[in-house]
């Protein structure tokens, strides 16, 4: 994250993410083409989350529904038996989320490369956001992915999830006028002295 230059689109994406998380939005989505800085923003978000957030991070969601359940449980500190089914998983996750809520904290699940999620897994994630108290959702979910993620969410079977995405941001490619300062900054962070351009 020391390489984070803070291009206008990156700063706006961070503002959207932090504001949406602080206001308790259910689903938050950031999309962008390959190389626009989604993973860097993801790492920066993890570093800058306020202390009252408990974050679960899944960097590679090319997982089966069972594997994703285990990854989420592991990140949240929940132990699952070897034969855990969806019902037991939901119950244990809910117990953990309630415990987090009782500590005056908020839980957030951050998934990078979310365009690799299957429709079945996305629906499971939607069901997880049904867990709530009388006043707030127990789990917020941030999806970061390539534009194919939007195509996936547009599928008829995922319309309920798509309706729950309350904050959206699309990262644009770097502009020609920003390129020189961007390269100079990143090269200096890497240790270059002087100017090669």
């Amino acid at each position: 994250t020391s390489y984070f230059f803070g291009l206008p689109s990156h700063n706006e994406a961070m503002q959207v993410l932090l504001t949406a998380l602080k206001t308790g939005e259910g689903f938050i989505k950031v999309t962008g083409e390959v190389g626009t800085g989604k993973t860097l923003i993801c790492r920066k978000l993890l570093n800058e989350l306020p202390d009252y957030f408990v974050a679960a991070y899944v960097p590679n969601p090319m997982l089966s529904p069972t594997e994703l359940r285990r990854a989420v449980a592991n990140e949240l500190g929940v132990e699952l038996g070897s034969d855990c089914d969806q019902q037991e998983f939901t119950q244990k996750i809910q117990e953990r989320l309630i415990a987090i809520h009782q500590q005056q904290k908020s839980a957030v699940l951050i998934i990078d490369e979310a365009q690799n999620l299957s429709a079945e897994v996305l629906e499971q994630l939607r069901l997880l956001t049904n867990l709530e108290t009388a006043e707030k959702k127990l789990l917020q979910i941030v999806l970061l992915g390539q534009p194919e993620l939007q195509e996936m969410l547009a599928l008829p079977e995922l319309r309920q999830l798509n309706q729950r995405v309350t904050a959206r941001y699309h990262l644009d490619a770097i502009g020609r006028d920003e390129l020189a300062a961007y390269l100079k900054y990143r090269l200096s962070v890497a240790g270059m002295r002087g100017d090669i351009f």
Side-chain angles (χ1 to χ4, degrees), residues 76-160:
L76 289 172
V78 175
E79 287 191 28
L80 298 179
S82 58
D83 57 347
C84 175
D85 61 14
Q86 176 68 31
Q87 184 178 354
E88 183 184 356
F89 166 74
T90 302
Q91 180 183 342
K92 289 194 171 199
I93 290 292
Q94 184 166 16
E95 289 168 3
R96 174 67 177 130
L97 294 175
I98 288 170
I100 290 169
H101 175 69
Q102 288 171 341
Q103 297 166 6
Q104 307 298 314
K105 295 189 173 189
S106 297
V108 57
L109 172 60
I110 301 170
I111 301 179
D112 199 7
E113 302 293 346
Q115 75 279 352
N116 293 322
L117 293 167
S118 67
E120 181 184 1
V121 168
L122 282 165
E123 178 59 14
Q124 271 190 11
L125 292 175
R126 182 188 72 80
L127 295 174
L128 278 180
T129 62
N130 287 342
L131 305 175
E132 55 192 0
T133 65
E135 65 276 350
K136 69 176 276 193
K137 296 234 175 252
L138 290 174
L139 180 67
Q140 296 172 271
I141 298 178
V142 176
L143 301 173
L144 296 105
Q146 294 168 24
E148 291 83 356
L149 174 61
Q150 183 53 44
E151 294 170 22
M152 175 74 81
L153 294 177
L155 294 172
E157 62 266 33
L158 292 175
R159 68 184 181 280
Q160 284 182 295

Side-chain angles (χ1 to χ4, degrees), residues 165-184:
V165 178
T166 51
R168 304 165 192 261
Y169 191 83
H170 183 77
L171 284 168
D172 291 320
I174 189 169
R176 180 179 285 273
D177 57 330
E178 302 164 323
L179 187 58
Y182 171 81
L183 288 172
K184 185 174 181 178

